[in-house]
Amino acid sequence: MNNLSFNRMYKSKRIYLYIIGFVLFWANAVHGQVRPNLPNSQTGVGYDSQGRPIKKSTDSLSLKHRDANEDSITISFKYFDSSRINFLDSSINDFRRRYPVPYTYNDLGNFGTATYPLLFTPNMKPGWDAGFHAFDPYMYKLEETKFYTTTRPYTDLAYMIGSKAEQMINLTHTQNRGSNFNFTFDYRFINSPGTYRNQNTSHSNIRVNAFYQSNNKRYGAYLIYILNSIKSSENGGLIDEKRLDSLTRGDPFELLSRLGNRAAGISRNFFNTNVATGNQYNTSTIFFRHYYDLGSKDSLVTDSVTYKLFYPRLRLQHTFSFTKYQYSFRDYVPTSSNYSAYFNYYNPLDTVLFKDVWQDFTNEFSLLTFPEKKNLNQFLKLGAAFQFLKGQFDTSARSQFSNTYLVGEYRNRTRNQKWDIEANGRFYITGSYVGDYAAYISLKRILGKKIGSLEVGFQNVNRTPSYLFENRTSFPVTLQQDLKKENTTRIFANLYLAALKLQLSGNYYLVSNYTYFDNFFNPQQEGALFNMLQLSGEKKFRLSRFFNWYAQLHVQQATGNPPVAFPSVLTRNRLAFEGNFFTNLFLSTGVEIRYYTSFKPYNYSPFTGQFFYQDTYSVSNRPDVDLFFHFRIKSFKSFVRLENVNSFSLGSGTSGAGFNKPNFTVQHYPGRAMWLRFGFWWGFVN
């Protein structure tokens, strides 16, 4: 079995290398076909949304130094399936912008472990869903893919190291090969042995994406390849967390955990990436979209150059995607008595293994029309897709089915740039998920540079509960029959007041047939309708010339008593001394405080990777307090952070004063005590 698995893994990785090699070969081939006298971004000429030539401009990094012709760069990007132009972020005051886990999430006490949101965030994806989302923040996602346009090859390199040998590596490289081809390579590696026994993590992510457009601008193609590998050991929580403030050696690693105590690989060696007891999730995606445009030609004559233009009016588009999902929990050396004592599970005498493997093939054909000749940000899309799904479980059981759904979309960013309209929908008409649908509409109005903007929107999703809630999975899930479709309505609004530097937002959810787990193995469905109101505010207060206060506040309240865990108030505040010193030195240093009110958090099932509802255990934590020192010199950004200084305690019993009182995020799962991190992000022109 091991040899067979190794051979499969070897063949799979060899296929991935062929794909990457093909992309690089394509880049060189296309570069050789580009005629140097054509207008392109290498010569500083591009086109705006109205098809007019635009001149070279600098981005937020201002990467100009030494020789302007040699090292200057103009770089921008668009997110996948978006037409809005974005620029690189050179700010240094918010570390969380570069950290995979948002401050609105909690983990299990180590970087890379399972996470859950503190703000109510329902699943609003129709159709098939495997149901494993606890590690989503550590994964590369299709919708977060960036397609760059750059005048020179650009690389962003990042490295972070923390206490207990925690480390993260980030690498991004992008370059244009002529005016009509760009490719980007992203890589991230996370490895953290952790503070507590059997909680080591090792994640790796790879993304390669490319865009090509023919010289006559009629044909275009997008290619995205994503590989996510998640490895997280699971300790099931500590057996006796009360001993944290009376450790004989002052090291929490000596405390026994509910799972993994017999694993031979338990250590703090950061070279160790083995998971003897824990979860391993692997996903790989190949996404290819290409189109052919019908439209009209035009030209723009300047003093010395004639630019050839093309305005599409009708687009024929085909999208193919293939994703393979592999989810598994394994315990090679189970302690039988712990399974029955702590999880009410049978006493395993040998290896415990649960494994689901899914393959998703989807083909979509669509037509797009552009009503206005010179406004490509306005279009209407209509299409249909066929999806084939195939599941294989740890036994000989298999499952396969297909779906057909219709898609529609309308977008319009008006030529005066004041109105932004987006509406889209998906409706399943045949197959196992017939009746599932999603509808979304938003309207945004720019009120003026000095006033700000206002956005309002509506979203409604009708979806079949995730596949994990069915007992056909190989994971230990109790049988639940006749689960009804979930229906979630969201009404939202966002208001930005530029003069006050104030961002206000609100979400109102109306939820019926909410599905959830109420213990380690048992799914449930809430029959009663409930609603949730969320209000958020974010503002920058300028206290003096060099002192700024960044305040973020979230308030949420639900009607009735729904099976959802959330604090009523969550706030984060950063008080920073910052400014521009010595011409090229940008500094931001101060204190960051996060606090949320007492509530009953979710418990966690390591076997199914699910956070489940409970109503007997409450947390009332101290505010999380972090000290930070961030600075930037040109395109080099660095940070030093001393986090969780709130864990200081005068001690009790046999322990003395020290940082031995961490906050708890889940019952039996203490968070990190004092934690030191430092690292850098460095963007440079190749």
Side-chain angles (χ1 to χ4, degrees):
M1 178 63 70
N2 291 335
N3 290 335
L4 180 60
S5 300
F6 176 80
N7 291 334
R8 289 177 177 173
M9 181 179 67
Y10 175 76
K11 292 179 180 178
S12 178
K13 290 188 174 181
R14 186 170 59 182
I15 293 174
Y16 299 152
L17 291 176
Y18 288 160
I19 294 171
I20 295 173
F22 170 73
V23 171
L24 297 177
F25 173 80
W26 191 20
N28 287 316
V30 170
H31 177 63
Q33 297 173 2
V34 175
R35 291 175 289 178
N37 60 341
L38 287 177
N40 58 64
S41 57
Q42 298 261 13
T43 60
V45 179
Y47 298 93
D48 63 13
S49 59
Q50 283 77 44
R52 299 173 302 204
I54 56 176
K55 298 298 182 180
K56 183 184 295 184
S57 61
T58 59
D59 61 15
S60 59
L61 283 179
S62 298
L63 292 175
K64 288 190 174 185
H65 38 86
R66 297 200 304 269
D67 188 317
N69 293 326
E70 181 66 22
D71 290 332
S72 63
I73 182 174
T74 301
I75 182 170
S76 63
F77 66 89
K78 298 179 182 178
Y79 284 104
F80 166 74
D81 220 12
S82 172
S83 59
R84 187 177 297 276
I85 297 176
N86 302 276
F87 298 96
L88 299 181
D89 182 10
S90 61
S91 64
I92 57 173
N93 57 55
D94 190 357
F95 170 75
R96 288 287 179 168
R97 292 186 179 182
R98 294 175 170 84
Y99 188 76
V101 184
Y103 76 91
T104 56
Y105 276 66
N106 273 346
D107 59 28
L108 295 180
N110 186 30
F111 185 30
T113 54
T115 65
Y116 70 91
L118 293 169
L119 301 179
F120 179 63
T121 311
N123 189 334
M124 301 192 73
K125 174 189 173 184
W128 176 85
D129 174 68
F132 301 90
H133 297 290
F135 295 92
D136 280 2
Y138 309 109
M139 294 188 179
Y140 281 162
K141 303 174 184 62
L142 194 68
E143 59 271 18
E144 296 174 354
T145 302
K146 299 177 181 179
F147 286 92
Y148 290 86
T149 299
T150 176
T151 55
R152 292 186 58 82
Y154 176 77
T155 300
D156 189 83
L157 177 64
Y159 180 71
M160 181 189 78
I161 189 169
S163 300
K164 312 297 183 183
E166 172 192 272
Q167 60 179 336
M168 178 177 71
I169 300 172
N170 260 323
L171 172 66
T172 296
H173 175 78
T174 183
Q175 66 180 94
N176 271 54
R177 305 292 287 180
S179 64
N180 49 1
F181 182 83
N182 173 273
F183 73 90
T184 302
F185 174 79
D186 292 303
Y187 173 75
R188 182 171 65 200
F189 175 71
I190 295 172
N191 186 24
S192 182
T195 300
Y196 308 101
R197 181 182 294 260
N198 199 53
Q199 215 178 35
N200 60 292
T201 61
S202 180
H203 308 330
S204 62
N205 316 95
I206 295 174
R207 176 167 50 208
V208 179
N209 59 279
F211 170 71
Y212 166 74
Q213 188 178 49
S214 62
N215 289 333
N216 63 10
K217 303 189 183 301
R218 291 182 180 271
Y219 178 81
Y222 296 86
L223 175 66
I224 304 174
Y225 168 71
I226 297 176
L227 175 64
N228 293 304
S229 175
I230 303 295
K231 297 179 181 179
S232 179
S233 294
E234 300 285 359
N235 64 13
L238 300 181
I239 293 178
D240 188 6
E241 61 267 25
K242 294 180 180 179
R243 289 186 53 211
L244 279 170
D245 59 356
S246 59
L247 299 171
T248 56
R249 295 177 298 179
D251 187 357
F253 198 77
E254 69 184 71
L255 298 178
L256 293 180
S257 57
R258 301 180 175 214
L259 292 175
N261 287 309
R262 296 173 55 196
I266 292 180
S267 73
R268 284 206 180 121
N269 182 0
F270 64 88
F271 291 109
N272 176 32
T273 60
N274 295 325
V275 174
T277 301
N279 286 300
Q280 293 191 33
Y281 297 170
N282 295 284
T283 67
S284 57
T285 298
I286 298 176
F287 178 94
F288 181 70
R289 170 177 290 174
H290 60 145
Y291 63 85
Y292 186 82
D293 286 339
L294 303 174
S296 58
K297 297 180 180 179
D298 203 346
S299 61
L300 179 67
V301 181
T302 64
D303 294 338
S304 58
V305 181
T306 298
Y307 298 107
K308 295 182 179 180
L309 307 178
F310 177 75
Y311 300 105
R313 306 307 301 275
L314 177 65
R315 173 170 295 177
L316 310 176
Q317 182 173 281
H318 168 242
T319 301
F320 168 79
S321 66
F322 167 73
T323 302
K324 184 176 183 179
Y325 306 89
Q326 299 181 72
Y327 304 103
S328 67
F329 171 86
R330 62 196 65 195
D331 189 351
Y332 290 127
V333 282
T335 303
S336 298
S337 58
N338 285 11
Y339 273 76
S340 58
Y342 301 120
F343 308 108
N344 196 25
Y345 195 63
Y346 77 95
N347 295 339
L349 302 177
D350 202 350
T351 298
V352 177
L353 175 63
F354 314 119
K355 185 177 182 180
D356 285 2
V357 179
W358 286 95
Q359 297 181 61
D360 177 0
F361 300 84
T362 302
N363 271 289
E364 178 186 305
F365 298 89
S366 55
L367 295 176
L368 288 82
T369 63
F370 301 89
E372 287 193 48
K373 178 179 179 180
K374 296 184 179 182
N375 184 10
L376 300 186
N377 288 320
Q378 180 184 12
F379 66 84
L380 174 65
K381 171 186 173 182
L382 296 173
F386 177 78
Q387 179 187 42
F388 176 75
L389 290 154
K390 180 180 179 181
Q392 180 178 350
F393 312 120
D394 61 347
T395 63
S396 58
R398 296 174 181 268
S399 179
Q400 61 182 39
F401 44 87
S402 60
N403 299 294
T404 304
Y405 59 85
L406 304 177
V407 294
E409 183 174 2
Y410 175 74
R411 293 188 192 180
N412 184 14
R413 190 178 187 190
T414 57
R415 296 177 64 180
N416 61 11
Q417 307 293 300
K418 291 185 177 181
W419 291 93
D420 202 341
I421 304 171
E422 180 178 352
N424 60 65
R426 175 182 295 188
F427 182 66
Y428 285 75
I429 57 174
T430 65
S432 300
Y433 291 83
V434 62
D436 281 22
Y437 67 82
Y440 174 93
I441 184 170
S442 70
L443 176 64
K444 185 175 182 180
R445 175 69 160 88
I446 303 298
L447 305 176
K449 293 183 178 180
K450 294 184 178 180
I451 301 177
S453 63
L454 173 65
E455 180 184 16
V456 294
F458 172 86
Q459 185 177 9
N460 180 250
V461 174
N462 198 60
R463 63 181 301 271
T464 303
S466 299
Y467 199 87
L468 185 64
F469 287 89
E470 304 183 38
N471 74 316
R472 286 179 291 175
T473 174
S474 63
F475 286 81
V477 175
T478 307
L479 172 62
Q480 290 291 333
Q481 295 180 340
D482 301 326
L483 290 177
K484 299 178 182 179
K485 291 184 182 292
E486 300 177 11
N487 190 278
T488 305
T489 298
R490 171 179 172 240
I491 302 172
F492 62 93
N494 298 291
L495 174 64
Y496 176 66
L497 300 175
L500 300 177
K501 296 183 179 179
L502 175 63
Q503 176 81 44
L504 298 174
S505 62
N507 290 286
Y508 176 75
Y509 293 97
L510 190 63
V511 185
S512 64
N513 298 325
Y514 180 75
T515 50
Y516 64 99
F517 279 82
D518 66 354
N519 62 30
F520 292 97
F521 313 106
N522 189 49
Q524 289 284 1
Q525 188 165 62
E526 174 66 18
L529 181 74
F530 71 90
N531 58 47
M532 171 77 72
L533 176 64
Q534 293 177 342
L535 299 175
S536 301
E538 180 176 345
K539 177 172 172 55
K540 175 183 177 181
F541 297 91
R542 189 173 180 85
L543 303 179
S544 67
R545 180 182 177 185
F546 295 113
F547 279 96
N548 293 311
W549 172 23
Y550 300 89
Q552 294 166 296
L553 176 66
H554 306 271
V555 180
Q556 50 189 351
Q557 184 62 50
T559 60
N561 188 27
V564 179
F566 62 92
S568 297
V569 177
L570 167 65
T571 180
R572 184 177 69 143
N573 294 269
R574 289 169 288 140
L575 181 62
F577 174 83
E578 52 191 15
N580 180 200
F581 307 95
F582 306 109
T583 306
N584 291 318
L585 174 64
F586 293 83
L587 176 68
S588 181
T589 181
V591 59
E592 178 178 330
I593 301 174
R594 186 188 74 152
Y595 172 73
Y596 50 86
T597 53
S598 176
F599 77 110
K600 296 176 181 179
Y602 292 109
N603 206 335
Y604 177 68
S605 172
F607 312 106
T608 60
Q610 302 298 303
F611 287 91
F612 62 87
Y613 178 74
Q614 60 83 33
D615 60 359
T616 58
Y617 172 78
S618 298
V619 293
S620 181
N621 290 332
R622 297 177 175 182
D624 299 316
V625 180
D626 306 333
L627 305 177
F628 64 89
F629 179 82
H630 304 167
F631 70 89
R632 175 168 69 89
I633 300 177
K634 294 186 177 180
S635 62
F636 180 85
K637 298 172 286 292
S638 185
F639 65 89
V640 180
R641 298 177 59 86
L642 188 63
E643 301 180 347
N644 303 321
V645 296
N646 53 282
S647 61
F648 179 79
S649 172
L650 294 176
S652 62
T654 59
S655 66
F659 296 91
N660 52 20
K661 193 175 181 179
N663 285 332
F664 277 72
T665 58
V666 174
Q667 187 176 12
H668 309 303
Y669 288 90
R672 288 174 283 275
M674 187 185 69
W675 204 261
L676 177 65
R677 285 188 171 123
F678 66 92
F680 66 86
W681 276 266
W682 181 25
F684 54 92
V685 182
N686 301 101

